[in-house]
Amino acid sequence: MGQGNSHEAQHLTLEQLSHNLAQTFAKKSYTPLELYCFKSVFRSLADTQSGIQYWSEATLCRFLELPDALGVGSVIFQMASYLGAFPFASQAPAILTNEALLKVVTILTERYGAVLKKRGREIWLREIYRSLAVYDNGIKSQADDQRHEKEEVVEKMGFAVDEARDEGEEDEDEDDELVLAALDSMDSLEVFKHGEQSNVHHSIIPTDNFLKLIELLLLIAPIDAQQSLSSLAPELSEERIQNLRRTAKLVLSSFVTDKHPGITYRTFDTVLSTALPYLFDGFNPLFEHFLFARDFDLSKRKSDSTSPTQEIHPVISPPKTVVDPEPILRSPGEILNLTTLSQLSFFIKGSNLFRRLRPLYSGNTHGFSMGSFEKQVFNWRAPTILLVSGRLLPEKPSSARERTLQDMLPPKRYSNSVSDSSQTITYGAYVPTQWKHTGKTCFGDSSAKLFQLSPAHDVFSASSFQSDYAYFNKSPTHPAGVGFGTPVPTQSQASSHSYGVFRPAPVSLHLDDALEFGVFTHLAEGGGSFYPSKLPGRRSKDWQDRFEIDSIEVWGCGGDDVAEAQRKEWAFQEREAEARRRINLGTGDKEMDYELLKMAGLVGNENRSGGSMG
C-alpha cells in the first residue's frame, strides 16, 4: 500500500505537491482557532483578480505596519514571495495566495517542526538566506574557473587526489535538506530528482537590502506576539532612525569581507552561528499577528466591487491592555539605549533583557571607584551585563597615568582594532553569576561572554580550555581591577609580591583599579578562557585596544524579585553598619548604651556563674 501511494505521488504536479504541503502545514502546525483567524485575516485584506485572492506588497506592509522611513517593505515582500513557493524554488516568486501566505507564516514563526521533523535551525536559516539572496553570475563564474583549474591539475598529474575543501564548504545536496524533508513528509522524494535543486553557493545577499532588514530587526526585537508595531514605535523620530541605521551598520560590518560585494552563504552561516544567533527572532512574534484577527483600518483601501465582503469585527477579543505596562528599558544609560539593547538581544536571549534590566552601576553617577562598583553590583544575585566605552590612547603617553599603564603592560606589538583613533569603542561582558571578590580563583561559568559592540560587532564565547572568566581584585592583589579572561595568580605568587609585567590572556578585557583605562586583547591563536573571533574578516587578526574609559555601566538581568532581594540586602547592610557606628561612637543615651552592652553580654551578668575549669 505504501508503495502504491508513493507511485501515485510521483505523478503529481508541483502545484499539487505545493497544495498538499500547505494543507499538511494547516493540519499539523495550527489549532483550528488559529487557522480560522488566519483565513479571516487573509480574506479581510485580500485583493481579487481573475478569480484569485492574493495579497499585494502594499497590503502586506500595511498589515505588518512596516515603517515607510525604513524602506524595508520590498525586502520583506521578496522574502515572502520566495518562501510562499516553498519547497520549489523554481516557482518563486509566488503570488501570495492563502496557501502561499500560510507557508510564509509557518516558516517565519518556525512552526514547520510539526511537519518537517529532525531538521535543525541551521536548515531553516538556509531558507531565510535563499529568500534574501540573488543569483550572482560572478560567483558562479569564479567557482567554475576554480573547478576547471583543479580538474586540469588532476588531469596533468594523471591520477585523482583527495582535494582539501575550503573551510565551511558543503555538499550541494546538503543545501536542499529542508526541501527533502518537505517532500519526504508527502512521500514525494522522486520529484526532487527531477531538477528541483538550487545552490546557495552561487548567490549573494545585497548589502543594501540586508542593511534595511537589520534596521527592521533592531526595531522589532522587543515586540510581543499580540503587540502591534505601531504601538511599539508609534513615531520614528529622525534621531531614532539615525540611531537604528548607525547600529545596523555596526551589525552589518560582521558580514563584510573583501572577497565579495555582497554576503555569501558561507559568511552568512558563520556570522549568524557565532555572533548573531538570535538575529531573526523578531520575525516570530511579528508574523504571529496573522493568527490573531482584529479590527482593521480599511479607510485607505479603495472600494472594489470584486473584493470580498470586508470583515471589520474581531473574531477573538484582543487581550486586555495593561494599564501601566513594564517599559522595555526603564531608563536609558549613557551607553545602553533601546537600539543597543536590541543589538544585545541578537546574541543574548531577549527574554533575559527586555523589561528585565535594572541599572546597577554607572561610573559617571556613582563614581569611578572599585568601592562604588562593589556596593552597587555585588548584592545582585542574578546575571549582569557590563558595558564600557572609551577612546583609544595615543601611542606615546601624554600623562603620568598613561605612562603608568604603559609600564604595567608589555611593549605593544599589536595594532589597534581600528585605524581611526577618534572612534568610540565599546566592549562588554555578560556575567552569568553573582559578583564576588576573586581570592584564589575567578568566578563565572561557561555561559559567560565577551563582546564588542562598536565600531564592530563581535562575540567571544567562553571556551573549555580554561575557566578564568571574571575577576574583581583590589590592590595589592594582582592584577588589580576588573577583568575577564586573564587568570589570577596562585597563592604562592600572590604572597611573593613579585608580579612583574601584567600579561593579558589571548582574548581578555581588563579595567584598571581606578576604572580609568581599559585593555582589550585579541590573539587569533586563542587558548584562553574565551575563543577568538570567528568572523571571516577578523578571525586571523591580532589586535590590542588600550583606551581611556569615558563611561562604564553594569546592568542587572532579572525581575522584581531579584531587585527586591538586592534592596533587602542593602537595608540589612545599612542596619548593620548603623549598629556598629552606635557601639563604636555611643548614642549619647546612657540607658540605651547600657542596654546595648547588656545585649552583647558585656554587662549585667552579675548573677550568672562562670564556667568551671574542673
Side-chain angles (χ1 to χ4, degrees), residues 342-508:
S342 293
Q343 184 182 359
L344 288 174
S345 75
F346 289 166
F347 59 92
I348 300 173
K349 263 296 185 182
S351 57
N352 297 327
L353 300 176
F354 300 123
R355 303 175 179 86
R356 292 185 63 81
L357 285 189
R358 303 292 190 277
L360 301 181
Y361 168 77
S362 169
N364 290 314
T365 301
H366 301 104
F368 289 88
S369 72
M370 297 286 282
S372 297
F373 187 106
E374 178 183 355
K375 179 181 178 181
Q376 298 298 131
V377 175
F378 272 44
N379 291 328
W380 187 262
R381 300 175 182 178
T384 51
I385 295 173
L386 179 144
L387 302 173
V388 58
S389 66
R391 293 161 295 168
L392 291 170
L393 293 171
E395 291 187 9
K396 295 183 178 180
S398 58
S399 67
R401 293 288 299 171
E402 290 181 15
R403 192 171 296 107
T404 301
L405 175 70
Q406 187 182 62
D407 294 341
M408 182 184 77
L409 296 166
K412 187 170 183 181
R413 296 181 293 128
Y414 309 108
S415 60
N416 297 326
S417 62
V418 291
S419 56
D420 185 2
S421 60
S422 64
Q423 284 185 291
T424 298
I425 59 174
T426 303
Y427 286 101
Y430 173 76
V431 183
T433 59
Q434 185 176 359
W435 285 73
K436 63 179 182 179
H437 290 281
T438 301
K440 298 179 181 179
T441 58
C442 293
F443 57 92
D445 60 36
S446 58
S447 60
K449 289 180 176 63
L450 275 178
F451 52 85
Q452 183 178 11
L453 298 181
S454 174
H457 177 99
D458 208 344
V459 178
F460 315 93
S461 57
S463 76
S464 56
F465 298 117
Q466 296 179 13
S467 58
D468 304 302
Y469 300 119
Y471 58 83
F472 182 93
N473 294 330
K474 288 185 176 181
S475 184
T477 306
H478 183 81
V482 180
F484 310 90
T486 299
V488 296
T490 61
Q491 189 171 4
S492 59
Q493 291 174 323
S495 60
S496 67
H497 296 285
S498 57
Y499 306 123
V501 176
F502 170 54
R503 300 186 182 279
V507 179
S508 60

Side-chain angles (χ1 to χ4, degrees), residues 6 9 45 48-49 72 94 131 184 234 272 283 297 369 393 440 497 538 543 556 558:
S6 177
L45 296 177
T48 303
Q49 186 173 352
V72 73
S131 71
D184 186 36
L272 285 173
F283 277 150
D297 180 10
S369 72
L393 293 171
K440 298 179 181 179
H497 296 285
R538 304 182 99 192
W543 75 83

Side-chain angles (χ1 to χ4, degrees), residues 103-164:
K103 287 191 283 185
V104 174
V105 174
T106 305
I107 293 173
L108 291 181
T109 59
E110 300 184 65
R111 288 174 173 246
Y112 59 83
V115 177
L116 314 180
K117 299 177 181 179
K118 298 181 181 179
R119 301 293 171 177
R121 182 178 170 85
E122 68 277 5
I123 311 302
W124 175 82
L125 284 174
R126 186 175 290 126
E127 289 304 303
I128 298 297
Y129 173 86
R130 284 171 165 164
S131 71
L132 292 165
V134 296
Y135 191 82
D136 188 279
N137 289 322
I139 294 179
K140 183 178 186 301
S141 175
Q142 182 181 4
D144 290 342
D145 291 343
Q146 291 175 350
R147 185 170 61 253
H148 290 322
E149 289 177 4
K150 290 180 180 179
E151 290 174 353
E152 289 176 1
V153 171
V154 171
E155 185 177 352
K156 290 178 180 178
M157 293 175 66
F159 56 88
V161 295
D162 293 330
E163 299 177 16

Side-chain angles (χ1 to χ4, degrees), residues 14 87-90 176 179 183 189-199:
L14 297 185
F88 304 113
S90 62
D176 299 280
V179 179
L183 296 173
L189 283 176
E190 188 65 25
V191 177
F192 183 78
K193 300 177 182 178
H194 295 290
E196 193 53 44
Q197 302 181 24
S198 61
N199 188 353

Side-chain angles (χ1 to χ4, degrees), residues 78 129-130 132-137 139 199-207 260-265:
Q78 174 191 326
Y129 173 86
R130 284 171 165 164
L132 292 165
V134 296
Y135 191 82
D136 188 279
N137 289 322
I139 294 179
N199 188 353
V200 296
H201 297 296
H202 295 163
S203 59
I204 61 169
I205 298 177
T207 52
H260 301 290
I263 301 168
T264 64
Y265 174 71

